[in-house]
Amino acid sequence: MSSLSSSPSSPPPSSVVHAMIALLLTQSYLLISPFVYSGAISLWFYPHLTKSEAGFYAGFVSSSFMFGRTFSSYYWGKQTDKYGRKTILMLTLSISILLNVALGLCTTFPSFIFSRFLLGFFNCVPGVLKTIISESARGDKEWEQNTMGLVFGMWGAGFLIAPLISGWLSDPVSQFPDSQFVQHSFLTPMFKKYPFLLPNLFGGIVTFVCVIWLYVSLEETLPEEQREDYPIPAFLLNRFSFLRMHNNRYKRVRSDVEIELVETVETAETGIELAQSSGVELEKVEEGSSTNPNHNKNPKAANPPPPPPTTIKSLLSKRSTRGLLIVYWLFSFVIIATDEIVPLFGLNSNAGGLHLQVKSIGTFISAAGIIYVLIQYRAYKYFVNTLGRENCMVLGTLIYGPLSFLIPFVLFIPNSRPPGEMGWSRFIFLGLTIGLSRTFASMHFSSVSLLLNDSVEKEVRGTMNGLSTLGGSVMKFLGPIFAGVLFAGCVNSDAWGAKVGAFAAFFVTGLLAIGVGLMARSLVKEQNAVSDDNR
């Protein structure tokens, strides 16, 4: 009984939260890092393209990851309900290490797209993490919402890390022509042949570190009696014992009834030990006795019929879950489209862009990440405690839209630096605007994730979060393609010119965000009306 002796009502230690933060940061880097150089790598593969034309191909670079995740999200979600959260997480992340290295060694555009597709296919991080957080909370709602906000707030922190690292590591031969190490070292031929190896190699290294950290720190939250052994070939298990993913240091209890039963059995065992030490002879409790805590007089109640299998249709048949999923999916589309337009706007060299180098784009996006890191968690805690989860879900989208409208106004700020670089006034303006917009976007996603977990039974949370990731992946696959076509069409339009076209592109995504916010608001009103009727 020692595995159950820890207090089941208290949340896990901070080391578990730290492991989840590391995992989300890694996930953020894997997804976001190509955004900064997507236009540049398109020009490297196809040198005949202009910078404005590269936006179309850049959309496929960014969306191929989500296209792969679309095919596997629901499958991985069901597997976590069957084999365990940690088991599937370790398996997919281990494969991602190899795929990151392969991504950096690609020499053709199709091979790069296919490698990004596979990287997305073997990715299940967001859905699994949402499930683990809710199950680790053990009924502590405050811990659950604070941890969800903190962990998924790291998504925005990835915009601080990923653009800066990938922007500076991309194509070092071209970006640092005066560097003796880059131009004249034995690594120069490799840098010329694989100009985008370094940012992807870095992704593989941090994924490897994360796998080790998670294996040591993260504990399985799916109860042992619900888990099956993952079908790893026996010869591998015999040679590599660390492949046995199940962590049995403790077992999750699932209800107050089970907690009471555990305490009853522990008390009985303690009484038996004391009686035996005092020389008192105890009667054996017969298996069919009513004093046996495991005895149940009703055998049908002890073995209830198994519930029907969870399907996409059964999850979507619940009105509240369906509405929350639609809002989550649509806002995912808006966010990823805007995130794709921002670097294209920075790279574009006509009047509808900032004419920046890749490293400069990464620098100003990272500045937005600094603003985000400083205010996101405090803002989320304040608003969710003041307004509640439902209103935070609505507020995040309604404020995000107007903030995204402001981004192209940077073109009216004089630039004191030469072409390819950015002055401090523009740098600060973009950092504040983008940082604030991501803060409210994160508020929406954290709130809607908590509401989704509460809308279904805990036995199917993994499957539901797999479905939410599936729909989100579809939208994040379509978003960059839409953004690339939208931005290229707007800035190249003869009808209104490049500068007006840049404003039009951001106006479209901002308007879509406001539309999603109004949809979320109507959903909250509908659910409140149902709650009032039930009273």
mmCIF file of all heavy atoms in Angstrom, residues 497-530:
data_model
loop_
_atom_site.group_PDB
_atom_site.id
_atom_site.type_symbol
_atom_site.label_atom_id
_atom_site.label_comp_id
_atom_site.label_asym_id
_atom_site.label_seq_id
_atom_site.Cartn_x
_atom_site.Cartn_y
_atom_site.Cartn_z
ATOM 1 N N GLY A 497 -2.206 48.992 -54.014
ATOM 2 C CA GLY A 497 -0.807 49.207 -53.687
ATOM 3 C C GLY A 497 -0.339 48.344 -52.541
ATOM 4 O O GLY A 497 -1.129 47.785 -51.779
ATOM 5 N N ALA A 498 1.006 48.244 -52.397
ATOM 6 C CA ALA A 498 1.599 47.321 -51.431
ATOM 7 C C ALA A 498 1.314 47.721 -49.991
ATOM 8 O O ALA A 498 1.015 46.880 -49.149
ATOM 9 C CB ALA A 498 3.107 47.236 -51.664
ATOM 10 N N LYS A 499 1.407 49.023 -49.685
ATOM 11 C CA LYS A 499 1.215 49.445 -48.292
ATOM 12 C C LYS A 499 -0.216 49.194 -47.834
ATOM 13 O O LYS A 499 -0.440 48.633 -46.754
ATOM 14 C CB LYS A 499 1.572 50.917 -48.123
ATOM 15 C CG LYS A 499 1.432 51.405 -46.687
ATOM 16 C CD LYS A 499 1.872 52.863 -46.518
ATOM 17 C CE LYS A 499 3.374 52.987 -46.603
ATOM 18 N NZ LYS A 499 3.830 54.364 -46.221
ATOM 19 N N VAL A 500 -1.192 49.584 -48.652
ATOM 20 C CA VAL A 500 -2.592 49.328 -48.301
ATOM 21 C C VAL A 500 -2.850 47.827 -48.243
ATOM 22 O O VAL A 500 -3.623 47.335 -47.407
ATOM 23 C CB VAL A 500 -3.537 50.004 -49.308
ATOM 24 C CG1 VAL A 500 -4.996 49.677 -49.003
ATOM 25 C CG2 VAL A 500 -3.331 51.507 -49.294
ATOM 26 N N GLY A 501 -2.176 47.063 -49.109
ATOM 27 C CA GLY A 501 -2.331 45.614 -49.101
ATOM 28 C C GLY A 501 -1.877 44.987 -47.796
ATOM 29 O O GLY A 501 -2.501 44.051 -47.293
ATOM 30 N N ALA A 502 -0.783 45.508 -47.222
ATOM 31 C CA ALA A 502 -0.319 44.997 -45.932
ATOM 32 C C ALA A 502 -1.366 45.248 -44.847
ATOM 33 O O ALA A 502 -1.647 44.383 -44.012
ATOM 34 C CB ALA A 502 1.007 45.647 -45.555
ATOM 35 N N PHE A 503 -1.954 46.437 -44.858
ATOM 36 C CA PHE A 503 -3.012 46.730 -43.895
ATOM 37 C C PHE A 503 -4.215 45.810 -44.101
ATOM 38 O O PHE A 503 -4.831 45.343 -43.144
ATOM 39 C CB PHE A 503 -3.452 48.197 -44.020
ATOM 40 C CG PHE A 503 -2.578 49.159 -43.286
ATOM 41 C CD1 PHE A 503 -1.427 49.657 -43.872
ATOM 42 C CD2 PHE A 503 -2.891 49.557 -42.001
ATOM 43 C CE1 PHE A 503 -0.603 50.548 -43.194
ATOM 44 C CE2 PHE A 503 -2.090 50.450 -41.318
ATOM 45 C CZ PHE A 503 -0.935 50.946 -41.907
ATOM 46 N N ALA A 504 -4.541 45.541 -45.366
ATOM 47 C CA ALA A 504 -5.699 44.697 -45.663
ATOM 48 C C ALA A 504 -5.493 43.279 -45.142
ATOM 49 O O ALA A 504 -6.424 42.651 -44.617
ATOM 50 C CB ALA A 504 -5.952 44.674 -47.171
ATOM 51 N N ALA A 505 -4.277 42.743 -45.255
ATOM 52 C CA ALA A 505 -4.007 41.381 -44.796
ATOM 53 C C ALA A 505 -4.214 41.263 -43.289
ATOM 54 O O ALA A 505 -4.864 40.322 -42.803
ATOM 55 C CB ALA A 505 -2.577 40.987 -45.170
ATOM 56 N N PHE A 506 -3.676 42.213 -42.528
ATOM 57 C CA PHE A 506 -3.857 42.165 -41.071
ATOM 58 C C PHE A 506 -5.307 42.475 -40.678
ATOM 59 O O PHE A 506 -5.800 41.970 -39.664
ATOM 60 C CB PHE A 506 -2.903 43.150 -40.388
ATOM 61 C CG PHE A 506 -1.492 42.667 -40.315
ATOM 62 C CD1 PHE A 506 -0.523 43.135 -41.198
ATOM 63 C CD2 PHE A 506 -1.115 41.730 -39.367
ATOM 64 C CE1 PHE A 506 0.787 42.693 -41.128
ATOM 65 C CE2 PHE A 506 0.190 41.273 -39.291
ATOM 66 C CZ PHE A 506 1.139 41.755 -40.175
ATOM 67 N N PHE A 507 -5.978 43.284 -41.465
ATOM 68 C CA PHE A 507 -7.378 43.601 -41.164
ATOM 69 C C PHE A 507 -8.250 42.354 -41.282
ATOM 70 O O PHE A 507 -9.148 42.132 -40.461
ATOM 71 C CB PHE A 507 -7.876 44.687 -42.114
ATOM 72 C CG PHE A 507 -9.321 45.058 -41.884
ATOM 73 C CD1 PHE A 507 -9.677 45.900 -40.840
ATOM 74 C CD2 PHE A 507 -10.312 44.565 -42.716
ATOM 75 C CE1 PHE A 507 -11.009 46.237 -40.617
ATOM 76 C CE2 PHE A 507 -11.639 44.903 -42.508
ATOM 77 C CZ PHE A 507 -11.991 45.736 -41.455
ATOM 78 N N VAL A 508 -7.968 41.529 -42.275
ATOM 79 C CA VAL A 508 -8.762 40.306 -42.474
ATOM 80 C C VAL A 508 -8.614 39.375 -41.284
ATOM 81 O O VAL A 508 -9.607 38.864 -40.739
ATOM 82 C CB VAL A 508 -8.345 39.604 -43.780
ATOM 83 C CG1 VAL A 508 -8.966 38.198 -43.859
ATOM 84 C CG2 VAL A 508 -8.763 40.423 -44.985
ATOM 85 N N THR A 509 -7.381 39.114 -40.830
ATOM 86 C CA THR A 509 -7.187 38.198 -39.704
ATOM 87 C C THR A 509 -7.751 38.781 -38.403
ATOM 88 O O THR A 509 -8.310 38.051 -37.576
ATOM 89 C CB THR A 509 -5.700 37.866 -39.526
ATOM 90 O OG1 THR A 509 -4.940 39.073 -39.338
ATOM 91 C CG2 THR A 509 -5.160 37.136 -40.744
ATOM 92 N N GLY A 510 -7.615 40.092 -38.223
ATOM 93 C CA GLY A 510 -8.187 40.717 -37.026
ATOM 94 C C GLY A 510 -9.700 40.631 -37.007
ATOM 95 O O GLY A 510 -10.312 40.387 -35.957
ATOM 96 N N LEU A 511 -10.314 40.823 -38.174
ATOM 97 C CA LEU A 511 -11.772 40.729 -38.263
ATOM 98 C C LEU A 511 -12.243 39.308 -37.973
ATOM 99 O O LEU A 511 -13.278 39.102 -37.324
ATOM 100 C CB LEU A 511 -12.217 41.171 -39.656
ATOM 101 C CG LEU A 511 -13.689 41.577 -39.819
ATOM 102 C CD1 LEU A 511 -14.019 42.763 -38.933
ATOM 103 C CD2 LEU A 511 -13.972 41.891 -41.286
ATOM 104 N N LEU A 512 -11.489 38.316 -38.438
ATOM 105 C CA LEU A 512 -11.833 36.920 -38.149
ATOM 106 C C LEU A 512 -11.757 36.638 -36.645
ATOM 107 O O LEU A 512 -12.603 35.915 -36.096
ATOM 108 C CB LEU A 512 -10.890 35.980 -38.903
ATOM 109 C CG LEU A 512 -11.065 35.916 -40.426
ATOM 110 C CD1 LEU A 512 -9.971 35.064 -41.048
ATOM 111 C CD2 LEU A 512 -12.434 35.354 -40.788
ATOM 112 N N ALA A 513 -10.765 37.212 -35.971
ATOM 113 C CA ALA A 513 -10.634 37.016 -34.522
ATOM 114 C C ALA A 513 -11.838 37.584 -33.781
ATOM 115 O O ALA A 513 -12.374 36.957 -32.852
ATOM 116 C CB ALA A 513 -9.349 37.665 -34.015
ATOM 117 N N ILE A 514 -12.289 38.761 -34.191
ATOM 118 C CA ILE A 514 -13.462 39.369 -33.547
ATOM 119 C C ILE A 514 -14.702 38.504 -33.796
ATOM 120 O O ILE A 514 -15.541 38.315 -32.906
ATOM 121 C CB ILE A 514 -13.673 40.793 -34.074
ATOM 122 C CG1 ILE A 514 -12.517 41.693 -33.609
ATOM 123 C CG2 ILE A 514 -15.003 41.363 -33.591
ATOM 124 C CD1 ILE A 514 -12.554 43.093 -34.169
ATOM 125 N N GLY A 515 -14.811 37.936 -35.004
ATOM 126 C CA GLY A 515 -15.928 37.051 -35.302
ATOM 127 C C GLY A 515 -15.949 35.828 -34.405
ATOM 128 O O GLY A 515 -17.010 35.414 -33.915
ATOM 129 N N VAL A 516 -14.773 35.233 -34.164
ATOM 130 C CA VAL A 516 -14.695 34.088 -33.252
ATOM 131 C C VAL A 516 -15.076 34.500 -31.838
ATOM 132 O O VAL A 516 -15.752 33.756 -31.108
ATOM 133 C CB VAL A 516 -13.281 33.480 -33.280
ATOM 134 C CG1 VAL A 516 -13.161 32.352 -32.264
ATOM 135 C CG2 VAL A 516 -12.951 32.950 -34.668
ATOM 136 N N GLY A 517 -14.665 35.706 -31.429
ATOM 137 C CA GLY A 517 -15.014 36.184 -30.099
ATOM 138 C C GLY A 517 -16.515 36.334 -29.918
ATOM 139 O O GLY A 517 -17.060 35.984 -28.861
ATOM 140 N N LEU A 518 -17.195 36.839 -30.937
ATOM 141 C CA LEU A 518 -18.649 36.972 -30.855
ATOM 142 C C LEU A 518 -19.326 35.602 -30.807
ATOM 143 O O LEU A 518 -20.336 35.417 -30.106
ATOM 144 C CB LEU A 518 -19.162 37.778 -32.059
ATOM 145 C CG LEU A 518 -18.687 39.239 -32.120
ATOM 146 C CD1 LEU A 518 -19.182 39.908 -33.404
ATOM 147 C CD2 LEU A 518 -19.175 40.018 -30.897
ATOM 148 N N MET A 519 -18.763 34.641 -31.524
ATOM 149 C CA MET A 519 -19.288 33.285 -31.469
ATOM 150 C C MET A 519 -19.113 32.692 -30.072
ATOM 151 O O MET A 519 -20.024 32.036 -29.531
ATOM 152 C CB MET A 519 -18.574 32.410 -32.508
ATOM 153 C CG MET A 519 -19.102 30.989 -32.600
ATOM 154 S SD MET A 519 -18.171 30.007 -33.798
ATOM 155 C CE MET A 519 -18.477 30.946 -35.294
ATOM 156 N N ALA A 520 -17.946 32.910 -29.456
ATOM 157 C CA ALA A 520 -17.705 32.417 -28.098
ATOM 158 C C ALA A 520 -18.651 33.089 -27.107
ATOM 159 O O ALA A 520 -19.138 32.439 -26.163
ATOM 160 C CB ALA A 520 -16.247 32.667 -27.704
ATOM 161 N N ARG A 521 -18.913 34.355 -27.316
ATOM 162 C CA ARG A 521 -19.828 35.080 -26.422
ATOM 163 C C ARG A 521 -21.245 34.503 -26.486
ATOM 164 O O ARG A 521 -21.905 34.332 -25.460
ATOM 165 C CB ARG A 521 -19.835 36.559 -26.792
ATOM 166 C CG ARG A 521 -20.620 37.455 -25.847
ATOM 167 C CD ARG A 521 -20.317 38.917 -26.136
ATOM 168 N NE ARG A 521 -21.090 39.798 -25.282
ATOM 169 C CZ ARG A 521 -22.249 40.339 -25.630
ATOM 170 N NH1 ARG A 521 -22.755 40.085 -26.840
ATOM 171 N NH2 ARG A 521 -22.907 41.138 -24.803
ATOM 172 N N SER A 522 -21.706 34.196 -27.688
ATOM 173 C CA SER A 522 -23.036 33.599 -27.813
ATOM 174 C C SER A 522 -23.090 32.214 -27.205
ATOM 175 O O SER A 522 -24.109 31.806 -26.632
ATOM 176 C CB SER A 522 -23.437 33.540 -29.294
ATOM 177 O OG SER A 522 -22.588 32.674 -30.016
ATOM 178 N N LEU A 523 -21.991 31.473 -27.282
ATOM 179 C CA LEU A 523 -21.924 30.143 -26.669
ATOM 180 C C LEU A 523 -22.030 30.236 -25.155
ATOM 181 O O LEU A 523 -22.744 29.453 -24.516
ATOM 182 C CB LEU A 523 -20.614 29.455 -27.077
ATOM 183 C CG LEU A 523 -20.346 28.064 -26.492
ATOM 184 C CD1 LEU A 523 -21.393 27.071 -26.982
ATOM 185 C CD2 LEU A 523 -18.945 27.589 -26.864
ATOM 186 N N VAL A 524 -21.330 31.202 -24.558
ATOM 187 C CA VAL A 524 -21.394 31.385 -23.112
ATOM 188 C C VAL A 524 -22.801 31.778 -22.686
ATOM 189 O O VAL A 524 -23.336 31.271 -21.689
ATOM 190 C CB VAL A 524 -20.366 32.453 -22.669
ATOM 191 C CG1 VAL A 524 -20.556 32.816 -21.205
ATOM 192 C CG2 VAL A 524 -18.948 31.947 -22.905
ATOM 193 N N LYS A 525 -23.429 32.681 -23.440
ATOM 194 C CA LYS A 525 -24.799 33.079 -23.111
ATOM 195 C C LYS A 525 -25.748 31.893 -23.175
ATOM 196 O O LYS A 525 -26.629 31.722 -22.321
ATOM 197 C CB LYS A 525 -25.265 34.165 -24.082
ATOM 198 C CG LYS A 525 -24.717 35.557 -23.788
ATOM 199 C CD LYS A 525 -25.359 36.580 -24.711
ATOM 200 C CE LYS A 525 -24.929 38.002 -24.330
ATOM 201 N NZ LYS A 525 -25.578 39.023 -25.198
ATOM 202 N N GLU A 526 -25.579 31.055 -24.176
ATOM 203 C CA GLU A 526 -26.441 29.879 -24.326
ATOM 204 C C GLU A 526 -26.261 28.910 -23.168
ATOM 205 O O GLU A 526 -27.230 28.391 -22.613
ATOM 206 C CB GLU A 526 -26.123 29.193 -25.657
ATOM 207 C CG GLU A 526 -26.958 27.952 -25.922
ATOM 208 C CD GLU A 526 -26.575 27.292 -27.235
ATOM 209 O OE1 GLU A 526 -26.139 28.020 -28.151
ATOM 210 O OE2 GLU A 526 -26.706 26.071 -27.343
ATOM 211 N N GLN A 527 -25.017 28.671 -22.758
ATOM 212 C CA GLN A 527 -24.759 27.758 -21.645
ATOM 213 C C GLN A 527 -25.280 28.328 -20.335
ATOM 214 O O GLN A 527 -25.792 27.593 -19.491
ATOM 215 C CB GLN A 527 -23.263 27.465 -21.557
ATOM 216 C CG GLN A 527 -22.739 26.625 -22.705
ATOM 217 C CD GLN A 527 -21.254 26.333 -22.584
ATOM 218 O OE1 GLN A 527 -20.549 26.961 -21.812
ATOM 219 N NE2 GLN A 527 -20.776 25.371 -23.362
ATOM 220 N N ASN A 528 -25.171 29.636 -20.146
ATOM 221 C CA ASN A 528 -25.711 30.259 -18.931
ATOM 222 C C ASN A 528 -27.230 30.147 -18.884
ATOM 223 O O ASN A 528 -27.825 29.936 -17.824
ATOM 224 C CB ASN A 528 -25.290 31.722 -18.858
ATOM 225 C CG ASN A 528 -23.808 31.891 -18.588
ATOM 226 O OD1 ASN A 528 -23.162 30.982 -18.063
ATOM 227 N ND2 ASN A 528 -23.260 33.041 -18.937
ATOM 228 N N ALA A 529 -27.870 30.278 -20.047
ATOM 229 C CA ALA A 529 -29.325 30.151 -20.098
ATOM 230 C C ALA A 529 -29.757 28.731 -19.754
ATOM 231 O O ALA A 529 -30.737 28.522 -19.036
ATOM 232 C CB ALA A 529 -29.827 30.545 -21.491
ATOM 233 N N VAL A 530 -29.010 27.740 -20.238
ATOM 234 C CA VAL A 530 -29.321 26.342 -19.921
ATOM 235 C C VAL A 530 -29.147 26.085 -18.430
ATOM 236 O O VAL A 530 -29.960 25.406 -17.798
ATOM 237 C CB VAL A 530 -28.430 25.399 -20.753
ATOM 238 C CG1 VAL A 530 -28.599 23.957 -20.293
ATOM 239 C CG2 VAL A 530 -28.761 25.520 -22.234
#
